[in-house]
mmCIF file of all heavy atoms in Angstrom:
data_model
loop_
_atom_site.group_PDB
_atom_site.id
_atom_site.type_symbol
_atom_site.label_atom_id
_atom_site.label_comp_id
_atom_site.label_asym_id
_atom_site.label_seq_id
_atom_site.Cartn_x
_atom_site.Cartn_y
_atom_site.Cartn_z
ATOM 1 N N LEU A 15 136.211 142.565 13.371
ATOM 2 C CA LEU A 15 134.832 142.400 13.838
ATOM 3 C C LEU A 15 134.146 141.350 12.973
ATOM 4 O O LEU A 15 134.258 141.366 11.745
ATOM 5 C CB LEU A 15 134.053 143.719 13.739
ATOM 6 C CG LEU A 15 134.597 144.936 14.507
ATOM 7 C CD1 LEU A 15 133.650 146.110 14.318
ATOM 8 C CD2 LEU A 15 134.772 144.619 15.986
ATOM 9 N N ASP A 16 133.463 140.386 13.607
ATOM 10 C CA ASP A 16 132.608 139.452 12.878
ATOM 11 C C ASP A 16 131.256 140.104 12.643
ATOM 12 O O ASP A 16 130.788 140.900 13.464
ATOM 13 C CB ASP A 16 132.416 138.163 13.690
ATOM 14 C CG ASP A 16 133.718 137.398 13.873
ATOM 15 O OD1 ASP A 16 134.506 137.347 12.918
ATOM 16 O OD2 ASP A 16 133.930 136.856 14.969
ATOM 17 N N TRP A 17 130.616 139.801 11.511
ATOM 18 C CA TRP A 17 129.310 140.374 11.246
ATOM 19 C C TRP A 17 128.395 139.331 10.598
ATOM 20 O O TRP A 17 128.856 138.354 10.009
ATOM 21 C CB TRP A 17 129.392 141.616 10.357
ATOM 22 C CG TRP A 17 129.939 141.379 8.973
ATOM 23 C CD1 TRP A 17 131.229 141.395 8.580
ATOM 24 C CD2 TRP A 17 129.167 141.084 7.789
ATOM 25 N NE1 TRP A 17 131.332 141.130 7.238
ATOM 26 C CE2 TRP A 17 130.082 140.932 6.719
ATOM 27 C CE3 TRP A 17 127.819 140.936 7.527
ATOM 28 C CZ2 TRP A 17 129.679 140.638 5.422
ATOM 29 C CZ3 TRP A 17 127.393 140.639 6.233
ATOM 30 C CH2 TRP A 17 128.330 140.499 5.198
ATOM 31 N N ALA A 18 127.106 139.550 10.730
ATOM 32 C CA ALA A 18 126.087 138.732 10.072
ATOM 33 C C ALA A 18 124.960 139.657 9.643
ATOM 34 O O ALA A 18 124.961 140.852 9.955
ATOM 35 C CB ALA A 18 125.571 137.639 11.008
ATOM 36 N N ILE A 19 124.001 139.120 8.926
ATOM 37 C CA ILE A 19 122.920 139.934 8.394
ATOM 38 C C ILE A 19 121.590 139.434 8.943
ATOM 39 O O ILE A 19 121.501 138.316 9.454
ATOM 40 C CB ILE A 19 122.940 139.890 6.843
ATOM 41 C CG1 ILE A 19 122.327 141.154 6.241
ATOM 42 C CG2 ILE A 19 122.289 138.635 6.311
ATOM 43 C CD1 ILE A 19 122.729 141.380 4.813
ATOM 44 N N GLY A 20 120.575 140.283 8.891
ATOM 45 C CA GLY A 20 119.242 139.845 9.291
ATOM 46 C C GLY A 20 118.874 140.118 10.721
ATOM 47 O O GLY A 20 117.915 139.545 11.236
ATOM 48 N N GLY A 21 119.652 140.954 11.424
ATOM 49 C CA GLY A 21 119.348 141.214 12.826
ATOM 50 C C GLY A 21 119.573 139.956 13.642
ATOM 51 O O GLY A 21 120.613 139.335 13.571
ATOM 52 N N ASP A 22 118.557 139.550 14.409
ATOM 53 C CA ASP A 22 118.675 138.325 15.203
ATOM 54 C C ASP A 22 117.879 137.178 14.594
ATOM 55 O O ASP A 22 117.613 136.168 15.243
ATOM 56 C CB ASP A 22 118.227 138.565 16.642
ATOM 57 C CG ASP A 22 116.790 139.087 16.706
ATOM 58 O OD1 ASP A 22 116.189 139.333 15.638
ATOM 59 O OD2 ASP A 22 116.284 139.258 17.831
ATOM 60 N N LYS A 23 117.507 137.293 13.303
ATOM 61 C CA LYS A 23 116.722 136.258 12.646
ATOM 62 C C LYS A 23 117.612 135.105 12.193
ATOM 63 O O LYS A 23 118.738 135.303 11.768
ATOM 64 C CB LYS A 23 115.984 136.832 11.427
ATOM 65 C CG LYS A 23 114.884 137.805 11.772
ATOM 66 C CD LYS A 23 114.172 138.280 10.503
ATOM 67 C CE LYS A 23 113.041 139.259 10.838
ATOM 68 N NZ LYS A 23 112.370 139.740 9.613
ATOM 69 N N THR A 24 117.055 133.895 12.262
ATOM 70 C CA THR A 24 117.724 132.731 11.699
ATOM 71 C C THR A 24 117.353 132.611 10.221
ATOM 72 O O THR A 24 116.470 133.338 9.728
ATOM 73 C CB THR A 24 117.304 131.458 12.439
ATOM 74 O OG1 THR A 24 115.893 131.243 12.228
ATOM 75 C CG2 THR A 24 117.594 131.575 13.927
ATOM 76 N N CYS A 25 118.002 131.693 9.508
ATOM 77 C CA CYS A 25 117.672 131.482 8.097
ATOM 78 C C CYS A 25 116.205 131.100 7.927
ATOM 79 O O CYS A 25 115.511 131.609 7.032
ATOM 80 C CB CYS A 25 118.554 130.368 7.516
ATOM 81 S SG CYS A 25 120.292 130.812 7.319
ATOM 82 N N GLU A 26 115.727 130.205 8.798
ATOM 83 C CA GLU A 26 114.346 129.733 8.698
ATOM 84 C C GLU A 26 113.348 130.878 8.909
ATOM 85 O O GLU A 26 112.331 130.966 8.206
ATOM 86 C CB GLU A 26 114.087 128.626 9.733
ATOM 87 C CG GLU A 26 114.895 127.364 9.514
ATOM 88 C CD GLU A 26 116.359 127.493 9.895
ATOM 89 O OE1 GLU A 26 116.690 128.448 10.652
ATOM 90 O OE2 GLU A 26 117.162 126.675 9.433
ATOM 91 N N GLU A 27 113.663 131.779 9.821
ATOM 92 C CA GLU A 27 112.778 132.915 10.091
ATOM 93 C C GLU A 27 112.843 133.938 8.975
ATOM 94 O O GLU A 27 111.814 134.493 8.551
ATOM 95 C CB GLU A 27 113.159 133.567 11.419
ATOM 96 C CG GLU A 27 112.903 132.673 12.630
ATOM 97 C CD GLU A 27 113.520 133.227 13.906
ATOM 98 O OE1 GLU A 27 114.465 134.056 13.802
ATOM 99 O OE2 GLU A 27 113.074 132.838 14.997
ATOM 100 N N ALA A 28 114.043 134.198 8.460
ATOM 101 C CA ALA A 28 114.208 135.220 7.418
ATOM 102 C C ALA A 28 113.589 134.796 6.100
ATOM 103 O O ALA A 28 113.060 135.634 5.342
ATOM 104 C CB ALA A 28 115.694 135.513 7.234
ATOM 105 N N GLU A 29 113.618 133.500 5.775
ATOM 106 C CA GLU A 29 113.088 133.017 4.489
ATOM 107 C C GLU A 29 111.571 133.152 4.387
ATOM 108 O O GLU A 29 111.014 133.060 3.298
ATOM 109 C CB GLU A 29 113.487 131.556 4.292
ATOM 110 C CG GLU A 29 114.956 131.386 3.931
ATOM 111 C CD GLU A 29 115.363 129.926 3.833
ATOM 112 O OE1 GLU A 29 114.605 129.071 4.361
ATOM 113 O OE2 GLU A 29 116.408 129.643 3.243
ATOM 114 N N LYS A 30 110.895 133.376 5.520
ATOM 115 C CA LYS A 30 109.437 133.539 5.499
ATOM 116 C C LYS A 30 109.021 134.835 4.820
ATOM 117 O O LYS A 30 107.911 134.959 4.318
ATOM 118 C CB LYS A 30 108.889 133.497 6.927
ATOM 119 C CG LYS A 30 109.052 132.144 7.603
ATOM 120 C CD LYS A 30 108.552 132.169 9.042
ATOM 121 C CE LYS A 30 108.750 130.815 9.718
ATOM 122 N NZ LYS A 30 108.302 130.823 11.134
ATOM 123 N N ASP A 31 109.903 135.835 4.790
ATOM 124 C CA ASP A 31 109.609 137.113 4.133
ATOM 125 C C ASP A 31 110.656 137.337 3.052
ATOM 126 O O ASP A 31 111.740 137.867 3.297
ATOM 127 C CB ASP A 31 109.643 138.255 5.153
ATOM 128 C CG ASP A 31 109.187 139.585 4.548
ATOM 129 O OD1 ASP A 31 108.906 139.608 3.329
ATOM 130 O OD2 ASP A 31 109.134 140.582 5.290
ATOM 131 N N LEU A 32 110.353 136.904 1.831
ATOM 132 C CA LEU A 32 111.330 136.979 0.739
ATOM 133 C C LEU A 32 111.633 138.413 0.323
ATOM 134 O O LEU A 32 112.640 138.666 -0.339
ATOM 135 C CB LEU A 32 110.820 136.182 -0.470
ATOM 136 C CG LEU A 32 110.678 134.667 -0.253
ATOM 137 C CD1 LEU A 32 110.167 133.988 -1.514
ATOM 138 C CD2 LEU A 32 112.016 134.072 0.169
ATOM 139 N N SER A 33 110.746 139.373 0.692
ATOM 140 C CA SER A 33 110.993 140.771 0.313
ATOM 141 C C SER A 33 112.182 141.352 1.074
ATOM 142 O O SER A 33 112.819 142.307 0.620
ATOM 143 C CB SER A 33 109.742 141.627 0.560
ATOM 144 O OG SER A 33 109.416 141.651 1.962
ATOM 145 N N THR A 34 112.484 140.800 2.243
ATOM 146 C CA THR A 34 113.619 141.291 3.033
ATOM 147 C C THR A 34 114.725 140.254 3.165
ATOM 148 O O THR A 34 115.768 140.540 3.754
ATOM 149 C CB THR A 34 113.156 141.701 4.445
ATOM 150 O OG1 THR A 34 112.570 140.555 5.103
ATOM 151 C CG2 THR A 34 112.146 142.834 4.376
ATOM 152 N N PHE A 35 114.511 139.041 2.638
ATOM 153 C CA PHE A 35 115.523 137.981 2.732
ATOM 154 C C PHE A 35 116.746 138.372 1.906
ATOM 155 O O PHE A 35 116.638 138.743 0.736
ATOM 156 C CB PHE A 35 114.926 136.675 2.240
ATOM 157 C CG PHE A 35 115.829 135.488 2.420
ATOM 158 C CD1 PHE A 35 116.425 135.219 3.643
ATOM 159 C CD2 PHE A 35 116.081 134.630 1.349
ATOM 160 C CE1 PHE A 35 117.252 134.115 3.810
ATOM 161 C CE2 PHE A 35 116.900 133.526 1.509
ATOM 162 C CZ PHE A 35 117.499 133.277 2.740
ATOM 163 N N ALA A 36 117.905 138.305 2.498
ATOM 164 C CA ALA A 36 119.117 138.845 1.863
ATOM 165 C C ALA A 36 119.736 137.911 0.835
ATOM 166 O O ALA A 36 120.398 138.367 -0.107
ATOM 167 C CB ALA A 36 120.162 139.182 2.939
ATOM 168 N N CYS A 37 119.591 136.602 0.967
ATOM 169 C CA CYS A 37 120.258 135.656 0.068
ATOM 170 C C CYS A 37 119.559 135.607 -1.282
ATOM 171 O O CYS A 37 118.359 135.344 -1.361
ATOM 172 C CB CYS A 37 120.306 134.260 0.684
ATOM 173 S SG CYS A 37 121.193 134.174 2.260
ATOM 174 N N GLN A 38 120.309 135.835 -2.349
ATOM 175 C CA GLN A 38 119.755 135.888 -3.697
ATOM 176 C C GLN A 38 119.849 134.510 -4.370
ATOM 177 O O GLN A 38 120.207 133.513 -3.745
ATOM 178 C CB GLN A 38 120.499 136.948 -4.510
ATOM 179 C CG GLN A 38 120.435 138.337 -3.915
ATOM 180 C CD GLN A 38 119.025 138.890 -3.837
ATOM 181 O OE1 GLN A 38 118.260 138.816 -4.799
ATOM 182 N NE2 GLN A 38 118.658 139.431 -2.681
ATOM 183 N N ASN A 39 119.548 134.472 -5.664
ATOM 184 C CA ASN A 39 119.519 133.206 -6.421
ATOM 185 C C ASN A 39 120.882 132.505 -6.383
ATOM 186 O O ASN A 39 121.942 133.139 -6.318
ATOM 187 C CB ASN A 39 119.131 133.468 -7.875
ATOM 188 C CG ASN A 39 117.698 133.976 -7.998
ATOM 189 O OD1 ASN A 39 116.857 133.673 -7.149
ATOM 190 N ND2 ASN A 39 117.424 134.745 -9.037
ATOM 191 N N ASN A 40 120.815 131.183 -6.433
ATOM 192 C CA ASN A 40 122.020 130.335 -6.489
ATOM 193 C C ASN A 40 122.928 130.537 -5.280
ATOM 194 O O ASN A 40 124.155 130.531 -5.403
ATOM 195 C CB ASN A 40 122.813 130.600 -7.776
ATOM 196 C CG ASN A 40 121.963 130.464 -9.017
ATOM 197 O OD1 ASN A 40 121.171 129.525 -9.135
ATOM 198 N ND2 ASN A 40 122.100 131.406 -9.946
ATOM 199 N N SER A 41 122.311 130.749 -4.115
ATOM 200 C CA SER A 41 123.103 130.914 -2.891
ATOM 201 C C SER A 41 122.493 130.092 -1.769
ATOM 202 O O SER A 41 121.345 129.663 -1.847
ATOM 203 C CB SER A 41 123.178 132.389 -2.487
ATOM 204 O OG SER A 41 121.903 132.867 -2.094
ATOM 205 N N ASN A 42 123.300 129.856 -0.730
ATOM 206 C CA ASN A 42 122.859 129.109 0.446
ATOM 207 C C ASN A 42 122.834 130.017 1.656
ATOM 208 O O ASN A 42 123.624 130.953 1.771
ATOM 209 C CB ASN A 42 123.808 127.933 0.717
ATOM 210 C CG ASN A 42 123.864 126.962 -0.445
ATOM 211 O OD1 ASN A 42 122.841 126.634 -1.044
ATOM 212 N ND2 ASN A 42 125.067 126.499 -0.775
ATOM 213 N N CYS A 43 121.941 129.712 2.587
ATOM 214 C CA CYS A 43 121.840 130.467 3.836
ATOM 215 C C CYS A 43 122.283 129.562 4.982
ATOM 216 O O CYS A 43 121.902 128.394 5.042
ATOM 217 C CB CYS A 43 120.401 130.938 4.061
ATOM 218 S SG CYS A 43 120.168 131.858 5.617
ATOM 219 N N ARG A 44 123.125 130.085 5.872
ATOM 220 C CA ARG A 44 123.506 129.341 7.078
ATOM 221 C C ARG A 44 123.484 130.282 8.266
ATOM 222 O O ARG A 44 123.812 131.471 8.145
ATOM 223 C CB ARG A 44 124.887 128.698 6.924
ATOM 224 C CG ARG A 44 126.024 129.663 6.785
ATOM 225 C CD ARG A 44 127.354 128.920 6.780
ATOM 226 N NE ARG A 44 128.477 129.812 6.528
ATOM 227 C CZ ARG A 44 129.066 130.530 7.465
ATOM 228 N NH1 ARG A 44 128.632 130.463 8.719
ATOM 229 N NH2 ARG A 44 130.088 131.323 7.170
ATOM 230 N N ASN A 45 123.109 129.761 9.414
ATOM 231 C CA ASN A 45 123.068 130.559 10.630
ATOM 232 C C ASN A 45 124.480 130.813 11.129
ATOM 233 O O ASN A 45 125.312 129.904 11.165
ATOM 234 C CB ASN A 45 122.256 129.840 11.710
ATOM 235 C CG ASN A 45 120.791 129.688 11.326
ATOM 236 O OD1 ASN A 45 120.206 130.590 10.732
ATOM 237 N ND2 ASN A 45 120.213 128.546 11.643
ATOM 238 N N SER A 46 124.755 132.064 11.500
ATOM 239 C CA SER A 46 126.080 132.426 11.982
ATOM 240 C C SER A 46 126.305 131.850 13.373
ATOM 241 O O SER A 46 125.411 131.870 14.217
ATOM 242 C CB SER A 46 126.241 133.951 12.015
ATOM 243 O OG SER A 46 127.465 134.306 12.630
ATOM 244 N N ASP A 47 127.510 131.316 13.619
ATOM 245 C CA ASP A 47 127.850 130.805 14.944
ATOM 246 C C ASP A 47 128.651 131.822 15.755
ATOM 247 O O ASP A 47 129.110 131.518 16.854
ATOM 248 C CB ASP A 47 128.656 129.508 14.824
ATOM 249 C CG ASP A 47 129.936 129.700 14.031
ATOM 250 O OD1 ASP A 47 130.115 130.783 13.419
ATOM 251 O OD2 ASP A 47 130.764 128.774 14.024
ATOM 252 N N LYS A 48 128.786 133.048 15.211
ATOM 253 C CA LYS A 48 129.561 134.085 15.893
ATOM 254 C C LYS A 48 128.711 135.287 16.300
ATOM 255 O O LYS A 48 128.946 135.909 17.329
ATOM 256 C CB LYS A 48 130.700 134.562 14.990
ATOM 257 C CG LYS A 48 131.690 133.467 14.633
ATOM 258 C CD LYS A 48 132.755 133.995 13.685
ATOM 259 C CE LYS A 48 133.730 132.893 13.313
ATOM 260 N NZ LYS A 48 134.772 133.366 12.356
ATOM 261 N N VAL A 49 127.735 135.618 15.445
ATOM 262 C CA VAL A 49 126.907 136.809 15.646
ATOM 263 C C VAL A 49 125.454 136.410 15.421
ATOM 264 O O VAL A 49 125.167 135.592 14.551
ATOM 265 C CB VAL A 49 127.299 137.925 14.645
ATOM 266 C CG1 VAL A 49 126.587 139.225 14.980
ATOM 267 C CG2 VAL A 49 128.790 138.129 14.613
ATOM 268 N N PRO A 50 124.491 136.961 16.170
ATOM 269 C CA PRO A 50 123.078 136.696 15.878
ATOM 270 C C PRO A 50 122.754 137.106 14.443
ATOM 271 O O PRO A 50 123.074 138.217 14.016
ATOM 272 C CB PRO A 50 122.330 137.566 16.899
ATOM 273 C CG PRO A 50 123.293 137.733 18.029
ATOM 274 C CD PRO A 50 124.647 137.795 17.400
ATOM 275 N N GLY A 51 122.118 136.231 13.672
ATOM 276 C CA GLY A 51 121.823 136.514 12.277
ATOM 277 C C GLY A 51 122.256 135.366 11.388
ATOM 278 O O GLY A 51 122.534 134.258 11.851
ATOM 279 N N TYR A 52 122.314 135.617 10.088
ATOM 280 C CA TYR A 52 122.656 134.549 9.149
ATOM 281 C C TYR A 52 123.653 135.065 8.102
ATOM 282 O O TYR A 52 123.888 136.261 7.959
ATOM 283 C CB TYR A 52 121.406 133.990 8.469
ATOM 284 C CG TYR A 52 120.596 134.997 7.680
ATOM 285 C CD1 TYR A 52 120.839 135.226 6.326
ATOM 286 C CD2 TYR A 52 119.558 135.715 8.282
ATOM 287 C CE1 TYR A 52 120.088 136.138 5.594
ATOM 288 C CE2 TYR A 52 118.795 136.618 7.568
ATOM 289 C CZ TYR A 52 119.066 136.838 6.220
ATOM 290 O OH TYR A 52 118.331 137.746 5.506
ATOM 291 N N ILE A 53 124.230 134.105 7.367
ATOM 292 C CA ILE A 53 125.256 134.392 6.369
ATOM 293 C C ILE A 53 124.827 133.773 5.044
ATOM 294 O O ILE A 53 124.277 132.663 5.015
ATOM 295 C CB ILE A 53 126.621 133.795 6.791
ATOM 296 C CG1 ILE A 53 127.076 134.395 8.113
ATOM 297 C CG2 ILE A 53 127.670 134.017 5.715
ATOM 298 C CD1 ILE A 53 127.337 135.870 8.082
ATOM 299 N N CYS A 54 125.083 134.488 3.931
ATOM 300 C CA CYS A 54 124.787 133.976 2.597
ATOM 301 C C CYS A 54 126.080 133.610 1.883
ATOM 302 O O CYS A 54 127.051 134.372 1.925
ATOM 303 C CB CYS A 54 124.024 135.008 1.762
ATOM 304 S SG CYS A 54 122.490 135.598 2.529
ATOM 305 N N THR A 55 126.103 132.448 1.222
ATOM 306 C CA THR A 55 127.271 132.031 0.438
ATOM 307 C C THR A 55 126.800 131.461 -0.892
ATOM 308 O O THR A 55 125.693 130.906 -0.995
ATOM 309 C CB THR A 55 128.092 130.956 1.176
ATOM 310 O OG1 THR A 55 127.239 129.837 1.486
ATOM 311 C CG2 THR A 55 128.694 131.503 2.463
#
């Protein structure tokens, strides 16, 4: 199963609320091309 985080939010939408944004320091956010949501690396 492929998975992503953030429900159906994109990186740009999720970054507006840092209290729920999943990507921590020294990481990048990219929109998943498999599942609605985003991925942190």
Side-chain angles (χ1 to χ4, degrees):
L15 302 182
D16 295 321
W17 63 272
I19 207 160
D22 57 356
K23 291 182 179 179
T24 64
C25 290
E26 295 74 18
E27 293 169 339
E29 286 176 343
K30 294 177 181 179
D31 186 357
L32 295 180
S33 63
T34 60
F35 186 51
C37 300
Q38 301 297 313
N39 294 333
N40 306 317
S41 67
N42 300 318
C43 179
R44 65 174 175 84
N45 295 322
S46 173
D47 59 350
K48 298 177 181 179
V49 188
Y52 59 90
I53 300 296
C54 304
T55 56

